[in-house]
Amino acid sequence: MINSAFSKNIDNQLLINQLEKHLNKREDNLLKDLFLHKSFNQFNKQYLDFRKKYKNAKWSIQPLSNDQDKSFLDIKIISKRKINDIIYHLHTKQTVKLETYKNKIKGYEVIDEESILNSQNSPLIIKIVSPDKVRTGEKYEMNLIIESPLDNSLTASGMIVLKDEDNKKVSNDIFGIKPNQSGGLFKYIQAPLNPGSQTISAIITHPEGIYLITKKIKVGL
């Protein structure tokens, strides 16, 4: 039994290594072979949409825990894209639960996620202070702190809770952006009454740069 579990853990590690390799080399035909059919269809829709925006993404995938049929992964993604002649850099980190069956990916779930998209020459250094997991109905604080001292230029900022998890194409006017002094952005947020997740999106702008932050928080009992 111990040998069987050890062998399964090795298989999972090989699967994780292959997943990272195929994503970085954009080997889509080989990537498909790592999934069961249903789970690949779910993954591929999100992956192709991401690839349209970020063509040269670099992936780092490391196991946080590795059981026989389930692994928790630490995933980091870096990339950049050009929007209206401005180059933006993306930094994303995720905790993902991966379920496997016969050395293939049966299902996956993003437990928590944090993404920062900032313009290339932005002087802003933003620190995100928030929980990764909250209880149902809990009121919690989301803080975006500007760490580097700025000049006297005003920043502007806004924060929203995304209601539709399938449509994150939010425009700037939805944020209700208001001018504020340097220091950051702070807001109390009410967690939903049902378990699942809650996604917060915020924007901080400065005359020399923009930060767009998205944070997915696990909501449990």
Side-chain angles (χ1 to χ4, degrees):
M1 185 66 179
I2 294 177
N3 288 338
S4 175
F6 181 71
S7 176
K8 186 66 177 179
N9 288 345
I10 291 177
D11 289 340
N12 280 353
Q13 183 61 60
L14 290 174
L15 179 64
I16 293 166
N17 292 344
Q18 288 178 315
L19 179 62
E20 181 185 76
K21 175 177 175 289
H22 297 335
L23 285 169
N24 282 321
K25 292 190 174 183
R26 290 174 285 284
E27 297 171 329
D28 295 353
N29 57 326
L30 298 176
L31 190 62
K32 184 177 181 179
D33 294 336
L34 302 182
F35 291 78
L36 296 179
H37 179 73
K38 185 177 180 180
S39 61
F40 179 74
N41 288 341
Q42 175 194 355
F43 169 82
N44 199 43
K45 181 178 181 298
Q46 298 170 335
Y47 176 60
L48 291 179
D49 183 59
F50 178 80
R51 277 273 301 274
K52 287 178 184 177
K53 300 173 184 176
Y54 302 98
K55 303 184 188 307
N56 298 303
K58 299 297 182 184
W59 300 70
S60 170
I61 305 177
Q62 299 295 328
L64 294 172
S65 66
N66 194 356
D67 299 324
Q68 289 191 47
D69 298 308
K70 181 174 65 176
S71 298
F72 285 88
L73 308 180
D74 175 45
I75 298 180
K76 292 182 174 63
I77 310 167
I78 58 172
S79 189
K80 62 183 180 180
R81 65 182 294 200
K82 192 173 184 180
I83 306 174
N84 297 328
D85 296 325
I86 300 176
I87 296 175
Y88 290 85
H89 290 270
L90 173 74
H91 293 82
T92 295
K93 57 181 181 179
Q94 300 175 328
T95 302
V96 174
K97 181 173 73 173
L98 196 73
E99 294 185 72
T100 60
Y101 177 74
K102 293 185 176 179
N103 299 333
K104 289 184 181 290
I105 298 171
K106 177 183 177 182
Y108 65 92
E109 179 187 0
V110 179
I111 303 298
D112 58 67
E113 179 178 17
E114 182 179 299
S115 292
I116 297 177
L117 184 68
N118 66 289
S119 52
Q120 185 172 17
N121 298 317
S122 173
L124 303 177
I125 300 175
I126 309 294
K127 181 179 180 181
I128 301 175
V129 180
S130 73
D132 293 324
K133 182 178 180 180
V134 296
R135 294 172 180 258
T136 54
E138 180 181 348
K139 193 173 185 180
Y140 62 95
E141 192 172 0
M142 178 83 170
N143 299 322
L144 304 178
I145 301 170
I146 300 176
E147 292 196 313
S148 178
L150 299 176
D151 53 28
N152 292 326
S153 299
L154 287 175
T155 61
S157 60
M159 187 183 298
I160 59 172
V161 177
L162 296 185
K163 301 295 185 182
D164 186 354
E165 287 293 313
D166 296 323
N167 183 10
K168 296 183 180 178
K169 297 178 180 177
V170 291
S171 58
N172 289 351
D173 59 330
I174 295 178
F175 287 95
I177 294 175
K178 297 178 181 179
N180 62 276
Q181 297 288 343
S182 300
L185 177 59
F186 315 94
K187 188 171 184 177
Y188 280 101
I189 297 169
Q190 186 82 40
L193 298 178
N194 296 320
S197 64
Q198 187 171 49
T199 302
I200 316 300
S201 191
I203 187 169
I204 293 180
T205 69
H206 181 269
E208 297 181 24
I210 297 174
Y211 258 74
L212 179 64
I213 296 104
T214 303
K215 173 81 175 181
K216 183 176 183 178
I217 297 171
K218 184 74 172 177
V219 179
L221 297 173

